[in-house]
Amino acid sequence: MSLPEKVELLWRRANETDDAEAFAQLEDLIAEDEQAFRAYVDLMWMESHLPFANSLVKLGCDAGQPVASEALSRPAGESKAAWSGTLVAIAAVVLALLTLTAILSSGDGEDAGSVAQSVPLEVGAKDESLAGDGAEPERKVAFSNLAHPPKVGGVSGGVLVDEEPVPETISFNFHVRSILSENCFYCHGPDPNHREADLRLDTEEGLLNAVEPESPEDSELIARIFSDDQDMQMPPHYSGRSLTRRQKAILSRWVEQGAKFEQHWAFMAPQKPAIPDVKNGDWAKNPIDRFVLAKLESKSIKPSPRAKATVIVRRLHLDLIGIPPRPEQSRAFVTAYQADADKAIDELVDRLLASEHFGERMAMPWLDVARYSDSNGFQQDGDRSQWPWRDWVVRAFNANMPFDQFTIEQLAGDLLEKPTQDQLIATGFNRNHMLNGEGGAIAEEQRNNYVFDRVDATATTWLGLTMACAQCHDHKYDPITQEDYYKFFAYFNNVDEKGNVDRKVGRQQCAKPYIQMPTDSQSDELKRIDGKIAPLNRELADSDQEITKAMRRWEIEAREATPESMGRDLFNILVKDLSERSKGEDNRLKGWFLEHAASQRWRDLKKQQVRLQGARRRVQEQILTVMVMRERKQPRETFVLQRGNYETRGRQVTTGVPSFLPRGNVDEGSTRLDLARWLVSEENPLTSRVVVNRFWQLFFGIGIVKTAEDFGVQAELPSHRQLLDWLAVEFRESGWDVKQLVRKIVTSETYLQTSKFRKDLAEIDPENRLLARSPRYRLPSMLIRDSALLVSGLLNAEVGGKPVYPWQPDRLWKEFSLEKFGYRPSQGNDRYRRGLYTFWRRTVPPPNMFDSANRQTCTVKQARTNTPLHALTLLNDPTFVETACFLAADVMANGGEGAAARSWVQDAFARAVGRDASQSELESLVRAFDQSHDFYESAPEQAKAFLAVADAVAIPADGEKLSNLAALASACQVIMNTDEFMTRE
Amino acid sequence: MMAGEKKMDGARFAQLVLSGHARMRMLVLSIAPGCQDVDDIVQEACAAMWQKIDDYDADRKFLPWALAFVRFQTLAWLKSKGRDRLRFDDGLVDRLCQAIASDGEAEGARTEALELCLEGLSESDRELMALRYVDGMKVAEIAQKTAKQNAGRSATSADSLYKTFAKLKASLLRCVRSRMEETGHVAS
């Protein structure tokens, strides 16, 4: 044995077994022998440097799979995670260093935040071992986390509050918590793995460690926030966060007033507040107005006057049914409004709430929430047919199904006693998640992903909680533990599914559990086929002995002289000895024998049977298949998954609702149905608030709580907290009556105000959170399209049914699907259905529906952006060109003989915008018409090409008619691209 | 509680810690065989250094100063684990500290050489090394694993695997040495 080998052997023994004798030998050897000493140093060098060698690390990561799957136990200090953790720590130090250098060189405190934000670091989030009391540079890393960027300035309910005086009485909930949560919880919050100095500021107990009630001068927290010393200062200068003077004063006054702690407002049950007194009581139509007015009066702001009747009727139509009024409807309303305004409004609202399009309008945001789509997503993105679920939603809203029932049927309709087909379809809500049918996908991993998605969608939709954060670690801000997460997970973990795709027919792919919904004719057809097959089956079965005998005789001949039409695999069965064949193999051979080699009578029977079986399969494949929820008989066990990885199971858990919320009568081990009932129970403080807030958002553009997706402690404070609670309690007490809630909102004076921009509020309330006017924003693109279709007269207002394929650019699907999916536009008036029914492919959504939710995960807030692409789409997309052309043709056809440009333009304008054009508007439009007319008169080919875009419009043979039509169509395009047309005024 | 303004800024300190990090670990491994808390010890030592950073004389080398903290921290660890009997003689620890600090000079060149030498190994040897040093598997575990993969055939025993590792390391060491000599560094 060489010297180095001897050294290593001794070291190894000392290392692995704490062998004192080996240790002493090692010490003697290296102390006495210089060469051994060198060998030891070399060995140590190797041992300490090899784990960081790049060429090994790369390999280690790539080859991670087999190791991970071995589930070998390793000492923590030597695990791969620890090693890579160390590497990450080093990387983190380097990056923190870069950040710091940048901050120092910029020399400007304000830039610090943006620099810290710009560091693309996931490191801080990954490596929780860093959080210890370690050296200063490592701590910096904790903040460089894009998932939790700092917010800027003091904002409450969207209103800048820095200028406001510090409130006389400080409330922990409404003044203090948001400051602590934003600036402190990241390191001093609920997540123990990430806590600094063992101090938490999100509990009363924790706060008392840093705060001396009634004496700010003795409170460490106050000393730290006022400190000028960079090492003392909190939040630390490198965090990018800082407190304003007002925020510091609030904290200080709060301590002075006794540092009273309160539970987060949204986690306490809403109490119905008293309706406030207001000075201008005449203005208020209903309690909503009193809440809004009280706040306005406290700031000496006057509300805005009512909108014009023409605006009100249009607003109500668009908000409640999603399509604008026809001119005659608009005129009738204006007349009724002049006679009795309140009555006219009430009647209009009643009519709209009763319209079958009400359900469509309400379904739109619900489909975004439910991530509804007509395809599965991922690269394969196969089709699915969940549209019966979509129709269920529309019907439920139209029937004014109480929201608690609406909740229970979607989450757990399958667990109701003797569920109806509709109740099963309703559970499609939690099968709307994406589905990965790719060959390489690991089924169990996918299955877990589906359950994750259900947890996220359910928690966001009903609880307004960002539950997903707790998938890998305790929540950083809210008191949701990882265990809470997996208890919630357990409710959705018992679906009878494997994580793969079970049924493939053409493009269609779906996964069990599902139900099949044959049409009457399909059922009849199946019955007819079954009726014909039965006697054949019987006859063949009766003759089985005879057939088998004949077959054995044939086999001997066939081995000698094998029929040429016989395939290789069948031949392989044929030559097998009878005892070696499986039953299945023998039956296959028998099938072939019957079809090809048996006597004529049997051959005929068999052929008929095969033909009928084929027909049966073809019918079967056409049957509508809808994915639903269904529990497994043998319940699946649920474990906490360490770091959210389905392969690393921690302790076992059972179902249960989040531990920080009142559990009511829901116990551990409760069912999904219990969960659904709990969500809409009186005990649950969140659902009613979260839901009314989303309805509010639908009618006012922004929720009372702006962060409609998050009601946790990081939520923005409600702009009108009493109004929110009043609405929430009213809603629940009304029996979750959706139409009543909607009626209350849209008949309020607040809603009916004009949306005209007010200069006096531009500075005070730029986002219109105080609601001193009605909001004004661009309509969702889906509704702009619906409006264009309606106004032109093309709209096919049919409700429900299979998705349709309106026009879209050629080859768009092919380009995005690697040539897999061709797109065949629907024929006839299916192209003019409402946007709700357009086929939604997850990987390639309809291109003219900009700003739509991606329908991949639960989305509760619609994006509102503004890019030139939108304007170009509205001008050039064939659907919009066609509607303009069709409107022009329709106006001309109805204009009567001898009508001319002026009256045409007038008509088109009234139809599109819902009011008469002003004199100057009319002049501009006539001028535009004249210019186009001159152009098209001299270029009839251009006119034809333009009109040819519109399939529904016949191109006039007469030259004058042609140029008139083309010119009027251009004018219509102008009208349909006005602000007024595409805006909710 | 916390010290006031430091003489050194955090960035510079981080840089120094980073450059000496592997050597600090090396010291822990050398004087506390079998230690599972290497990272914790180094981290605590770093925290202590930062607290005392004002005592550090910027004209002198950082590594020997830092290793003194690591040494102290390691000995404290041994004590806390009741492993006092597994403690090298102070004189030997002195020598180890010196050796580790002194050939820290050529650290950059040496790690670079190691990198190149590793790339010279065969794919399967590198993988084997990665299993032990990156994935942190014990040699016995690796032996089991390969035994599973080769089910039916002769399993590699842990002992022969140790030999394989020893050979690999010896050849790496030779390779590193010769590369160092080529690039004009004094052989260590």
Side-chain angles (χ1 to χ4, degrees):
Chain A
M1 193 184 282
S2 72
L3 193 58
E5 274 174 38
K6 197 169 173 192
V7 169
E8 178 164 3
L9 184 69
L10 287 173
W11 178 73
R12 211 174 83 204
R13 277 174 51 201
N15 214 352
E16 288 185 352
T17 52
D18 288 355
D19 184 341
E21 196 189 331
F23 188 85
Q25 283 181 18
L26 177 66
E27 183 175 20
D28 284 349
L29 183 63
I30 58 178
E32 304 298 313
D33 184 334
E34 178 61 25
Q35 267 196 317
F37 180 82
R38 291 299 337 157
Y40 187 61
V41 172
D42 284 338
L43 174 67
M44 290 300 109
W45 187 81
M46 275 288 171
E47 293 291 324
S48 58
H49 284 68
L50 277 173
F52 298 97
N54 281 329
S55 23
L56 289 187
V57 171
K58 270 182 254 148
L59 234 155
C61 292
D62 289 344
Q65 194 55 44
V67 181
S69 62
E70 292 276 354
L72 295 162
S73 64
R74 272 174 233 125
E78 293 293 319
S79 74
K80 179 179 178 181
W83 283 126
S84 55
T86 312
L87 289 169
V88 168
I90 292 182
V93 173
V94 173
L95 280 162
L97 195 132
L98 293 174
T99 311
L100 195 72
T101 319
I103 292 168
L104 292 175
S105 64
S106 79
D108 185 339
E110 267 184 31
D111 278 348
S114 59
V115 174
Q117 272 185 62
S118 69
V119 178
L121 244 197
E122 289 173 7
V123 171
K126 269 191 202 154
D127 186 60
E128 283 154 351
S129 68
L130 276 181
D133 53 345
E136 177 98 5
E138 289 174 334
R139 268 219 251 131
K140 292 177 179 64
V141 178
F143 295 94
S144 311
N145 189 326
L146 277 185
H148 306 282
K151 290 181 191 161
V152 187
V155 183
S156 169
V159 183
L160 275 169
V161 291
D162 270 353
E163 302 303 314
E164 290 193 0
V166 177
E168 277 306 313
T169 315
I170 307 286
S171 143
F172 181 79
N173 259 338
F174 288 92
H175 306 116
V176 175
R177 177 183 269 114
S178 59
I179 301 174
L180 297 179
S181 163
E182 176 54 31
N183 297 290
C184 316
F185 284 6
Y186 193 82
C187 303
H188 301 294
D191 183 1
N193 292 320
H194 209 275
R195 200 173 295 143
E196 300 279 334
D198 202 22
L199 174 66
R200 67 186 293 187
L201 300 177
D202 64 316
T203 61
E204 184 166 21
E205 202 190 346
L207 273 165
L208 287 176
N209 287 325
V211 155
E212 194 60 47
E214 293 179 23
S215 66
E217 59 279 5
D218 297 327
S219 297
E220 181 77 5
L221 186 144
I222 301 299
R224 292 300 191 101
I225 61 170
F226 280 99
S227 172
D228 297 330
D229 183 343
Q230 267 206 351
D231 294 316
M232 281 285 284
Q233 213 176 68
M234 283 288 155
H237 61 99
Y238 46 77
S239 67
R241 285 159 162 87
S242 68
L243 299 181
T244 64
R245 266 207 307 275
R246 183 174 183 276
Q247 289 174 322
K248 290 180 189 172
I250 286 177
L251 292 178
S252 180
R253 186 169 292 178
W254 170 71
V255 176
E256 203 177 295
Q257 292 175 354
K260 246 191 92 203
F261 179 81
E262 288 171 300
Q263 153 100 280
H264 175 51
W265 66 272
F267 298 160
M268 292 189 292
Q271 304 296 331
K272 207 178 204 174
I275 293 163
D277 286 331
V278 289
K279 286 185 221 127
N280 186 7
D282 289 347
W283 180 80
K285 260 186 85 187
N286 70 23
I288 292 176
D289 300 322
R290 287 184 174 264
F291 287 106
V292 171
L293 188 60
K295 184 133 188 181
L296 287 175
E297 284 180 349
S298 76
K299 297 180 191 295
S300 311
I301 299 171
K302 284 200 162 56
S304 296
R306 272 244 178 122
K308 286 189 202 136
T310 49
V311 174
I312 291 177
V313 64
R314 190 176 161 81
R315 182 188 295 171
L316 281 167
H317 269 81
L318 287 167
D319 279 353
L320 294 181
I321 63 171
I323 39 181
R326 298 170 197 276
E328 64 275 13
Q329 291 172 320
S330 187
R331 273 193 297 273
F333 175 77
V334 173
T335 313
Y337 187 83
Q338 278 156 355
D340 184 342
D342 286 350
K343 184 162 165 261
I345 290 171
D346 287 344
E347 283 175 2
L348 174 62
V349 169
D350 283 346
R351 180 170 69 75
L352 295 175
L353 288 177
S355 159
E356 58 180 351
H357 301 309
F358 171 75
E360 293 179 320
R361 179 69 186 96
M362 297 302 113
M364 271 177 54
W366 192 256
L367 262 49
D368 290 346
V369 163
R371 69 261 187 256
Y372 171 82
S373 173
D374 298 307
S375 78
N376 291 330
F378 294 104
Q379 199 205 325
Q380 286 207 344
D381 207 15
D383 293 6
R384 52 169 64 182
S385 48
Q386 292 300 92
W387 56 267
W389 175 83
R390 178 246 284 146
D391 287 354
W392 179 91
V393 173
V394 173
R395 282 201 307 278
F397 278 120
N398 277 337
N400 199 22
M401 177 184 280
F403 194 84
D404 53 348
Q405 188 187 345
F406 185 71
T407 299
I408 291 167
E409 296 198 359
Q410 288 185 80
L411 289 178
D414 57 315
L415 300 178
L416 294 168
E417 205 173 321
K418 293 201 185 129
T420 62
Q421 177 164 288
D422 262 8
Q423 285 168 333
L424 291 177
I425 289 172
T427 64
F429 179 91
N430 264 328
R431 299 303 309 284
N432 282 334
H433 54 77
M434 305 211 287
L435 198 63
N436 191 347
E438 276 155 37
I442 301 166
E444 180 60 8
E445 182 179 14
Q446 296 308 324
R447 193 190 67 75
N448 275 278
N449 288 339
Y450 305 156
V451 184
F452 291 142
D453 184 87
R454 286 173 199 140
V455 172
D456 301 347
T458 307
T460 305
T461 305
W462 278 276
L463 295 171
L465 290 176
T466 51
M467 201 95 162
C469 298
Q471 182 182 326
C472 311
H473 53 71
D474 290 353
H475 201 285
K476 295 254 181 270
Y477 299 98
D478 294 324
I480 307 171
T481 63
Q482 209 188 350
E483 184 155 331
D484 283 334
Y485 181 93
Y486 285 97
K487 290 180 138 190
F488 206 77
F489 181 97
Y491 285 117
F492 303 99
N493 193 27
N494 198 29
V495 177
D496 196 2
E497 63 187 338
K498 290 206 188 67
N500 45 18
V501 164
D502 300 299
R503 186 175 186 269
K504 290 189 188 182
V505 180
R507 268 187 201 176
Q508 293 265 348
Q509 296 191 351
C510 67
K512 283 177 184 167
Y514 49 68
I515 55 168
Q516 297 209 302
M517 301 168 62
T519 61
D520 288 347
S521 73
Q522 284 168 335
S523 301
D524 292 347
E525 180 66 6
L526 285 180
K527 245 180 255 161
R528 196 183 62 82
I529 296 172
D530 287 344
K532 280 187 172 175
I533 290 186
L536 299 177
N537 288 351
R538 217 169 7 220
E539 199 168 342
L540 285 168
D542 288 349
S543 322
D544 192 53
Q545 273 191 345
E546 204 178 326
I547 293 170
T548 310
K549 248 189 240 161
M551 173 171 146
R552 298 287 176 248
R553 282 198 300 276
W554 162 79
E555 276 177 42
I556 297 163
E557 299 163 24
R559 280 193 199 120
E560 299 300 316
T562 310
E564 278 184 16
S565 58
M566 188 178 232
R568 171 157 290 280
D569 47 342
L570 274 167
F571 175 74
N572 286 340
I573 300 172
L574 174 67
V575 294
K576 264 191 196 170
D577 194 70
L578 194 56
S579 59
E580 283 175 358
R581 278 182 214 160
S582 71
K583 191 145 177 60
E585 284 174 336
D586 201 47
N587 278 336
R588 274 184 63 204
L589 193 64
K590 188 181 282 176
W592 195 91
F593 164 72
L594 276 171
E595 226 177 321
H596 299 96
S599 70
Q600 190 65 36
R601 186 171 71 91
W602 286 338
R603 271 213 316 258
D604 288 348
L605 283 178
K606 183 66 191 174
K607 273 183 184 148
Q608 273 188 59
Q609 189 200 38
V610 167
R611 196 175 48 78
L612 286 168
Q613 277 167 343
R616 190 177 203 292
R617 198 174 50 245
R618 277 189 295 280
V619 177
Q620 194 71 41
E621 283 177 354
Q622 296 307 312
I623 292 176
L624 184 57
T625 305
V626 184
M627 295 186 274
V628 297
M629 297 288 267
R630 188 175 64 220
E631 296 286 277
R632 265 160 55 111
K633 287 203 184 69
Q634 181 67 38
R636 230 183 234 113
E637 294 177 321
T638 299
F639 300 86
V640 172
L641 301 181
Q642 285 158 13
R643 290 180 183 246
N645 179 355
Y646 75 104
E647 285 188 320
T648 49
R649 291 175 162 191
R651 61 191 175 283
Q652 190 171 355
V653 294
T654 64
T655 54
V657 298
S659 52
F660 66 96
L661 290 171
R663 66 173 57 214
N665 50 13
V666 178
D667 292 322
E668 301 240 326
S670 48
T671 66
R672 184 153 41 78
L673 180 59
D674 296 324
L675 171 71
R677 289 189 170 132
W678 173 80
L679 284 172
V680 289
S681 67
E682 198 176 331
E683 286 83 24
N684 177 1
L686 286 163
T687 302
S688 55
R689 283 184 176 120
V690 168
V691 172
V692 295
N693 190 58
R694 273 208 307 274
F695 278 107
W696 190 270
Q697 174 182 270
L698 181 60
F699 297 111
F700 286 96
I702 301 179
I704 296 174
V705 173
K706 188 180 179 185
T707 50
E709 69 286 357
D710 184 7
F711 273 58
V713 302
Q714 278 294 84
E716 195 178 275
L717 286 173
S719 58
H720 300 78
R721 62 178 195 264
Q722 293 193 318
L723 173 57
L724 179 69
D725 283 0
W726 185 81
L727 286 168
V729 176
E730 277 275 310
F731 183 44
R732 197 189 67 225
E733 288 180 350
S734 74
W736 304 88
D737 186 332
V738 172
K739 284 192 181 177
Q740 189 182 316
L741 171 69
V742 171
R743 182 183 287 110
K744 220 172 274 161
I745 294 175
V746 301
T747 56
S748 70
E749 197 61 36
T750 309
Y751 175 86
L752 294 168
Q753 295 174 98
T754 174
S755 64
K756 201 164 175 306
F757 179 75
R758 277 170 58 171
K759 267 206 183 114
D760 59 323
L761 301 175
E763 296 266 312
I764 315 170
D765 187 13
E767 287 191 295
N768 192 32
R769 302 297 303 284
L770 297 172
L771 296 167
R773 61 177 175 89
S774 206
R776 186 177 181 284
Y777 46 85
R778 192 168 57 196
L779 292 168
S781 56
M782 209 180 250
L783 290 192
I784 300 179
R785 180 177 174 276
D786 289 352
S787 297
L789 287 169
L790 175 104
V791 161
S792 71
L794 275 171
L795 181 72
N796 170 3
E798 199 182 315
V799 176
K802 279 184 191 166
V804 293
Y805 304 80
W807 183 91
Q808 73 169 32
D810 233 10
R811 288 193 52 79
L812 183 72
W813 275 17
K814 278 204 177 291
E815 292 291 338
F816 278 86
S817 67
L818 306 170
E819 304 288 320
K820 195 166 49 189
F821 297 133
Y823 188 89
R824 236 178 319 141
S826 298
Q827 294 303 305
N829 67 359
D830 264 358
R831 276 177 299 173
Y832 311 121
R833 297 282 303 280
R834 296 192 65 175
L836 192 68
Y837 303 113
T838 295
F839 187 97
W840 199 279
R841 183 167 294 296
R842 274 184 164 127
T843 49
V844 201
N848 54 16
M849 298 196 189
F850 43 81
D851 277 355
S852 294
N854 66 15
R855 300 280 182 84
Q856 305 204 341
T857 52
C858 171
T859 310
V860 300
K861 255 199 302 209
Q862 204 179 12
R864 262 182 226 122
T865 65
N866 201 351
T867 83
L869 279 179
H870 301 175
L872 291 170
T873 301
L874 295 183
L875 276 170
N876 298 304
D877 182 286
T879 302
F880 289 101
V881 175
E882 184 167 22
T883 52
C885 293
F886 198 81
L887 175 60
D890 207 41
V891 163
M892 279 173 75
N894 292 314
E897 282 301 308
R902 181 167 291 266
S903 76
W904 288 334
V905 169
Q906 218 160 6
D907 282 356
F909 189 91
R911 272 174 68 166
V913 185
R915 66 173 174 88
D916 292 331
S918 73
Q919 201 56 36
S920 69
E921 284 165 339
L922 203 52
E923 295 305 329
S924 321
L925 285 167
V926 170
R927 241 188 346 266
F929 175 91
D930 288 343
Q931 276 172 7
S932 301
H933 186 268
D934 288 351
F935 171 76
Y936 285 123
E937 201 168 34
S938 61
E941 288 313 310
Q942 298 276 5
K944 282 181 195 157
F946 174 40
L947 294 170
V949 174
D951 290 345
V953 175
I955 297 177
D958 175 80
E960 178 56 15
K961 270 192 185 156
L962 176 68
S963 42
N964 273 340
L965 181 56
L968 185 57
S970 315
C972 288
Q973 277 192 295
V974 174
I975 294 167
M976 288 160 84
N977 276 280
T978 54
D979 223 19
E980 210 169 331
F981 183 79
M982 56 179 106
T983 304
R984 183 273 191 201
E985 295 266 9
Chain B
M1 265 168 74
M2 258 187 219
E5 190 70 29
K6 305 271 190 199
K7 276 205 297 196
M8 183 189 288
D9 70 53
R12 173 72 187 138
F13 178 69
Q15 205 174 28
L16 291 170
V17 165
L18 188 57
S19 66
H21 192 259
R23 291 269 159 180
M24 295 185 211
R25 290 179 48 84
M26 181 175 166
L27 179 62
V28 183
L29 287 176
S30 317
I31 57 181
C35 173
Q36 303 289 356
D37 301 325
V38 182
D39 291 312
D40 290 348
I41 294 173
V42 170
Q43 206 170 355
E44 273 160 32
C46 286
M49 286 175 223
W50 178 243
Q51 267 182 357
K52 297 267 172 81
I53 195 69
D54 286 348
D55 300 344
Y56 167 61
D57 177 358
D59 291 332
R60 300 178 62 173
K61 287 193 184 108
F62 179 74
L63 191 58
W65 184 78
L67 288 179
F69 284 84
V70 178
R71 174 181 180 174
F72 177 80
Q73 209 68 48
T74 315
L75 297 180
W77 179 86
L78 284 170
K79 197 166 182 189
S80 76
K81 297 278 167 187
R83 290 203 190 192
D84 276 358
R85 67 202 170 89
L86 299 181
R87 202 179 135 169
F88 288 139
D89 170 71
D90 278 352
L92 180 58
V93 176
D94 278 346
R95 279 174 64 204
L96 281 167
C97 279
Q98 262 171 25
I100 291 169
S102 73
D103 70 27
E105 305 275 289
E107 178 79 347
R110 256 174 92 99
T111 39
E112 206 173 304
L114 176 66
E115 234 27 279
L116 291 169
C117 294
L118 278 167
E119 270 165 29
L121 292 184
S122 76
E123 190 76 41
S124 57
D125 284 345
R126 260 209 317 255
E127 201 163 324
L128 207 56
M129 293 292 258
L131 285 179
R132 177 163 176 196
Y133 289 102
V134 181
D135 295 330
M137 287 172 76
K138 291 194 166 191
V139 173
E141 290 169 356
I142 301 175
Q144 262 175 28
K145 181 178 143 78
T146 43
K148 246 184 225 170
Q149 281 169 357
N150 299 346
R153 277 185 278 151
S154 67
T156 328
S157 75
D159 258 350
S160 68
L161 206 53
Y162 268 118
K163 287 209 179 90
T164 313
F165 275 119
K167 263 185 217 141
L168 280 171
K169 280 189 285 185
S171 85
L172 278 173
L173 206 56
R174 277 195 302 277
C175 170
V176 169
R177 257 194 216 125
S178 75
R179 278 193 186 275
M180 293 293 281
E181 276 164 9
E182 272 168 34
T183 49
H185 291 276
V186 186
S188 60

